[in-house]
Amino acid sequence: MITVKIYLNVKILNMNLLLAFIASFLWGTTYSVTQAYLSGWPPLLLGALRAFPAGLILLALRPVVPSIGVLVKLSVTGVINIGIFFICIFVMALTLPSAISSVGMMSVPVFAMLIQWILTRKKPSMLQIISGIGLILIAGLLFNPQSISLNPIGLVALLVAVLCIVTGSLLTQKMGMKTHWWSIVTWQLLAGGFILVLLSAGDAYIHPDEYLSVWNRLSSDNLSGLCWIILMNTAFAYSLYVWTLQKISLVEFTFSGVANPMAGILCGLVLLGESYSPFQYALMVGMIAMSLLPNIVKSLVARKSEGSLASKN
């Protein structure tokens, strides 16, 4: 009986990690798709077009209206998790190479461990700490200004994006204890998207030429890129994200973000023709390996325990 329970727990964990992997992979396509199909578009406009329509689609599929108190909390997390975060993501997409943007997001587990430790007193495992240190060391080599030229604005956006996703995820996870996950993802997108719509309208008033240029140059490629970002990259991926946050820890989720750089590197090669030195690719692979290590070891230990219990029975 115990063996069956352990087996089921491992299977469920692996399934939830797979869903988190899919969400991270879809997010990793943001940078390349933006550069390939939406280059030159204002970041505020891109953020608004990504978030608000996705929220409306989810609301239409399942109309849910939470209480005023819950709606206020969702609005706050929506501003962090969607509003600020989306602006940073599109600034990164327009100022940093696709693969670098994706790999840079691999620093999220380190911040997640520190913030979760401080706020919830939940100490990370030794393996997670070792993997986190490894990520920092490898990132230091990859982001060395002497080896690659990076836009400082893009790097600041990367740092803010990392802090947003960790803080927003903790708040989302906490809200998930009392609020249905569909309400969370729908109203976070609507609240954050509405703020982005207002900011985008103000930006359009100040810089009308940029928005008129987008409208005058609107093409089928632009629409294809928007459809991908709204439907798969946001409505679907964020639904998976909120769902899995209720099933696994934040640190486990962020370590499964290895799919983000995989998508970034792959899409960068296919859509943009990006290329790097063998050493830089080796560093990227090293970050991916460090990210995978905790979950691989955890799965192996669980299977070993399962085998030991089975032999005793």
Side-chain angles (χ1 to χ4, degrees), residues 4 12 57 87 112 135 152 160 173 179 183 192 207:
V4 173
I12 292 171
I57 290 170
I87 294 173
L135 284 172
V160 176
Q173 197 171 46
T179 308
S183 294
H207 307 103

Side-chain angles (χ1 to χ4, degrees), residues 69-86 163-176 179 183-193 195 238 241-242 245:
V70 173
L71 194 57
V72 171
K73 294 178 181 178
L74 286 174
S75 297
V76 173
T77 56
V79 169
I80 297 172
N81 228 12
I82 304 298
I84 300 174
F85 180 67
F86 277 16
L163 293 175
C164 281
I165 196 171
V166 174
T167 305
S169 295
L170 282 172
L171 293 172
T172 298
Q173 197 171 46
K174 186 176 180 180
M175 289 201 67
T179 308
S183 294
I184 293 175
V185 64
T186 299
W187 287 95
Q188 278 193 3
L189 286 169
L190 288 174
I195 294 297
Y238 266 84
Y241 156 71
V242 175
L245 269 183

Side-chain angles (χ1 to χ4, degrees), residues 125 127-128 131-132 255 289-299:
S125 68
L127 187 57
Q128 287 176 334
S131 296
F255 271 110
M290 280 295 172
S291 175
L292 283 172
L293 185 61
N295 286 330
I296 290 176
V297 172
K298 185 174 181 178
S299 180

Side-chain angles (χ1 to χ4, degrees), residues 129-146:
I129 293 174
I130 293 172
S131 296
I133 293 173
L135 284 172
I136 293 174
L137 294 176
I138 298 173
L141 293 173
L142 181 63
F143 291 98
N144 186 346
Q146 296 179 350

